Structures are given as C-alpha cells and as structure tokens.
C-alpha cells in the first residue's frame, strides 16, 4: 500500500496535479540526475537536469519468486552535453534509481517515491534520422 502525504492526497483529489519521473545514476564522477520537466530541480542534495518529454520508463515487473526484474529506461532527444555525461563514464553496473513525483498545482513537490532501484546492465544508443 502506498502512503501519500496530505499535500499529495489533496492534489490528486482536486484533479490538478503533475506526475514526473526522476532518474538518478550514481556515476564514478558523482550522482547524475534527470527529471522530465522544463526546469532543473534540487532534491535530497541532487540536482536533476531538465529533460521534459525525454524520459520514458517501461512497466515495473513484480513477483514473489525472488527473480530480479528488469526495467527499460529510454532517454530520447537529449542534448549532446547530457549524452556525453552518460556515455563518457564507466556506467556499467552503476546504481540507478527511478522515482515518481507528484506535484501540486503550484508545481511544488507533494510526494516522491522510489519505484525502482537497481544497476545499469546495457546502454543502447539509437540514432534516428529526422522523419524516419
């Protein structure tokens, strides 16, 4: 059962709320964070860079069989600086955390919850030609 703050409950009940995804990768050079919004965010000592519309998270698996579940995170349309921050680091088997945030109508964080914590296994880069 999820326990939500009163601010998050009020935002959800009003129908006027935002949902955002926060992705944190613990790289050798430091913690790297992105979130799907138009402004940077500082949360728990991490600065999350803006990546509005550029983060897509696959379905979260679950089960009672003690088998590790995987998840796919797609980062698309990122600027070359962000891409180089990821690709130029030793990313393999680095910790990654995915959180969900609920924002109030005033764009304040009402609730943040960890949805997945694991390690990066693959980093696949797909480049598309515009319009293809």
């Amino acid at each position: 059962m999820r326990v939500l703050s009163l601010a998050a409950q009020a935002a959800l009940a009003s129908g006027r709320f935002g949902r955002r995804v926060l992705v944190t990768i613990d790289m050798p050079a430091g913690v790297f964070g992105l979130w799907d919004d138009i402004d940077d965010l500082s949360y728990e000592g991490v600065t999350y860079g803006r990546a509005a519309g550029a983060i897509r998270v696959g379905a979260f698996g679950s089960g009672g069989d003690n088998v590790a579940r995987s998840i796919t995170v797609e980062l698309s349309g990122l600027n070359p600086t962000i891409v180089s921050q990821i690709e130029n680091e030793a990313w393999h088997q680095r910790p990654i955390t995915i959180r969900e945030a609920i924002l109030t109508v005033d764009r304040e964080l009402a609730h943040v919850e960890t949805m997945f914590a694991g390690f990066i296994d693959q980093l696949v880069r797909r480049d598309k030609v515009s319009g293809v």
Side-chain angles (χ1 to χ4, degrees), residues 12-23:
L12 293 171
S14 75
R16 299 180 63 188
F17 64 94
R19 181 188 166 276
R20 300 291 184 271
V21 174
L22 289 76
V23 177

Side-chain angles (χ1 to χ4, degrees), residues 10-105:
L12 293 171
S14 75
R16 299 180 63 188
F17 64 94
R19 181 188 166 276
R20 300 291 184 271
V21 174
L22 289 76
V23 177
T24 308
I25 304 171
D26 188 357
M27 294 291 206
V31 178
F32 175 76
L34 287 173
W35 82 311
D36 62 341
D37 203 63
I38 59 173
D39 297 310
D40 291 344
L41 169 74
S42 181
Y43 177 72
E44 291 189 344
V46 176
T47 299
Y48 290 83
R50 55 185 168 251
I55 301 172
R56 187 166 59 187
V57 178
F60 295 98
S62 65
D65 55 1
N66 293 326
V67 174
R69 304 291 186 225
S70 65
I71 189 165
T72 300
V73 178
E74 292 182 21
L75 304 173
S76 64
L78 296 178
N79 69 43
T81 304
I82 293 174
V83 171
S84 69
Q85 285 178 324
I86 297 170
E87 289 182 340
N88 293 333
E89 293 256 11
W91 53 264
H92 189 253
Q93 294 300 308
R94 299 302 304 176
I96 183 170
T97 304
I98 301 167
R99 293 179 175 88
E100 179 183 52
I102 297 172
L103 281 65
T104 66
V105 68

